[in-house]
Amino acid sequence: LCLTSWPDINCSILYFAACGLQACLNKNTYKPEKCDEQVRKLYQCCQTLYEQTDDKGESTACPMPNVVRRWLKNHSELVS
């Protein structure tokens, strides 16, 4: 799930955020609008990964860095 050589990256947090999103999507028959909180948690984890690795960190759970930044910017009104 997390491909990085940086020892300070906590991939387990990213893993649990991705699993939480998948569980929500399964429960809500893939209606992403019902899983905004889980999407936000995952993207915040991805953003942390990218910040700590100067956008070089990789994870199968994370979109490209610019997609994460754009989503978080466009959904800033949903901050919990």
Side-chain angles (χ1 to χ4, degrees):
L1 181 67
C2 189
L3 308 172
T4 181
S5 59
W6 292 272
D8 57 336
I9 302 299
N10 188 341
C11 293
S12 62
I13 294 172
L14 187 57
Y15 172 79
F16 287 115
C19 290
L21 175 57
Q22 187 62 50
C24 181
L25 291 171
N26 287 339
K27 178 182 174 186
N28 292 291
T29 319
Y30 281 84
K31 295 179 183 168
E33 67 275 5
K34 293 191 176 200
C35 301
D36 281 341
E37 180 181 340
Q38 289 81 4
V39 173
R40 174 169 304 285
K41 285 179 184 177
L42 176 62
Y43 277 33
Q44 287 172 333
C45 287
C46 294
Q47 180 66 22
T48 299
L49 169 72
Y50 293 136
E51 287 172 354
Q52 292 179 351
T53 62
D54 197 27
D55 286 353
K56 293 182 177 94
E58 296 179 11
S59 171
T60 56
C62 294
M64 297 184 322
N66 61 328
V67 173
V68 171
R69 284 190 289 272
R70 183 175 58 238
W71 191 93
L72 289 171
K73 179 182 176 188
N74 290 341
H75 293 85
S76 61
E77 73 279 359
L78 301 175
V79 173
S80 45

